[in-house]
Amino acid sequence: MAIGSGLGAQLGIAAESAYGTFAAPTRFIEFTSESLVLSKTTAQSSGIAAGRLLALSSRRVVTQRQVSGSIGLEVTNKGMGLLLQALMGTTVTPVQQDTTTAYLQTHTLADTAGKSLTIQKGVPLTTGVVTDKSLVGCKVTSAEFSCEVGGMLTASFEFDGRDCDETQTLATASYANTAPYHFGQMSLKTGTFGVETALDGVRKVSVKIERPQAVDRFYANQSALKAEPISNDLVKITGSLEMDYVATTVDDLHTSDGATSLVWEFVGPTIEGAHAETFRVTLPAIRVDDAPPQVEGFEVVRPTFNFTGLYDGTNQPVITYVSTDTSL
């Protein structure tokens, strides 16, 4: 029996071969919070019947079913590939580096058609019995990564899903021995794409990637369920840099509205040879939206610069992940 609280909960994920078709979990992720729920749209008959004072229970119907919610977690040195693929869209196979145990995943921005997940969550009753809620057809609609002084690199993934299947067998969770990325491993570089240089004074970074999709594709012949969402707007990339005002590099970009490449990187221990555990976000072109530094008292001037990620005409945004994972 599991512990009858959140201590006994689990989340398993798997890539689906077809949208909305259950796939048994292949990865179990350690999460800090989740809010994935089934939502239903109901309609109640309002027909008049002489003497009836209350609507009939038998005349209530479910007209739509769908799933929504989020998962919050720390970004770790293993097991992130499926989530990154669902976010970025490129079909990725880890590439062995030389003859070492290090494998490179290159998640380049692409359309997310066909990239859906089954997310199976186990929710414990107070008795220790863990109930199964298998959420199928889960598409990533956005993800935000953030790290600040003294903290872990964290992520929050937002999902839209097709349905909740409670007839599946709850998988037995197993976990790899993982380590989180953290502020002590963080670097941030800006400049010309490919030759970026370290930016001093950075205290906190956040990057959000939004994947707008038509999530309202409810049609006849679908048994109240939606067809796979499809991209219906440009990808939106935004972020912020909280810094001590040690140089005018970012401030000057705000003034000129000039573009710069941004590389946000976490490098962990060496896996083997010249290859280390790595999580890297590369945005080939960002432009600073606001805000210029302001003096608000005696403390060190500490502006937060908000930026927008754009296409430089040649290079796509990429998330690079180096781990010992031989598969997603």
Side-chain angles (χ1 to χ4, degrees):
M1 299 291 282
I3 299 173
S5 69
L7 290 170
Q10 66 181 63
L11 275 182
I13 62 175
E16 295 178 342
S17 58
Y19 175 71
T21 301
F22 174 81
T26 56
R27 290 280 183 185
F28 294 89
I29 57 177
E30 299 178 45
F31 64 104
T32 55
S33 63
E34 64 85 18
S35 62
L36 295 165
V37 294
L38 171 68
S39 301
K40 60 187 180 183
T41 300
T42 62
Q44 178 67 56
S45 170
S46 57
I48 297 172
R52 185 183 296 154
L53 301 179
L54 189 64
L56 280 173
S57 172
S58 61
R59 292 175 68 88
R60 171 167 153 153
V61 293
V62 176
T63 59
Q64 291 174 272
R65 293 165 61 92
Q66 60 185 319
V67 168
S68 62
S70 65
I71 297 174
L73 71 161
E74 296 167 352
V75 178
T76 57
N77 63 341
K78 299 177 187 176
M80 294 296 299
L82 284 175
L83 290 173
L84 296 176
Q85 178 175 261
L87 167 66
M88 298 299 285
T90 295
T91 300
V92 172
T93 300
V95 178
Q96 185 178 20
Q97 301 300 284
D98 300 323
T99 57
T100 70
T101 55
Y103 286 78
L104 169 67
Q105 298 178 26
T106 304
H107 296 272
T108 305
L109 187 70
D111 187 28
T112 59
K115 300 297 187 296
S116 62
L117 302 173
T118 292
I119 304 177
Q120 186 184 64
K121 72 174 185 177
V123 183
L125 299 171
T126 56
T127 59
V129 175
V130 182
T131 63
D132 159 57
K133 295 186 182 299
S134 295
L135 309 160
V136 297
C138 293
K139 302 269 293 184
V140 175
T141 55
S142 75
E144 183 169 14
F145 303 91
S146 182
C147 186
E148 62 184 330
V149 171
M152 305 289 193
L153 171 61
T154 60
S156 177
F157 287 81
E158 297 281 342
F159 294 91
D160 174 87
R162 190 172 197 240
D163 198 12
C164 179
D165 179 356
E166 297 185 2
T167 66
Q168 300 296 332
T169 300
L170 186 68
T172 300
S174 60
Y175 300 94
N177 184 17
T178 62
Y181 288 105
H182 58 84
F183 183 79
Q185 301 167 327
M186 185 173 91
S187 66
L188 190 129
K189 302 174 183 179
T190 58
T192 302
F193 180 78
V195 289
E196 300 88 351
T197 58
L199 183 65
D200 195 12
V202 177
R203 297 178 53 84
K204 180 179 180 180
V205 180
S206 67
V207 172
K208 184 174 185 178
I209 301 172
E210 299 177 68
R211 306 305 308 259
Q213 295 165 65
V215 298
D216 59 350
R217 299 184 66 212
F218 291 94
Y219 306 139
N221 308 311
Q222 294 287 336
S223 301
L225 303 177
K226 69 176 70 176
E228 181 179 1
I230 55 178
S231 298
N232 65 347
D233 201 351
L234 297 175
V235 176
K236 297 177 176 62
I237 301 178
T238 56
S240 64
L241 306 175
E242 181 185 300
M243 312 172 58
D244 282 356
Y245 195 51
V246 300
T248 64
T249 305
V250 182
D251 189 18
D252 290 344
L253 289 169
H254 171 262
T255 302
S256 68
D257 200 38
T260 186
S261 175
L262 181 146
V263 177
W264 183 28
E265 184 176 60
F266 295 79
V267 178
T270 298
I271 296 173
E272 189 177 344
H275 307 287
E277 298 169 352
T278 303
F279 179 89
R280 180 188 306 116
V281 178
T282 302
L283 303 178
I286 67 165
R287 291 185 186 259
V288 179
D289 300 314
D290 58 18
Q294 302 173 48
V295 179
E296 299 178 341
F298 299 116
E299 293 292 336
V300 172
V301 176
R302 185 166 292 166
T304 296
F305 294 96
N306 297 310
F307 63 82
T308 298
L310 300 165
Y311 181 42
D312 72 352
T314 303
N315 306 288
Q316 294 285 2
V318 176
I319 296 179
T320 304
Y321 189 58
V322 181
S323 72
T324 57
D325 292 334
T326 58
S327 65
L328 298 194

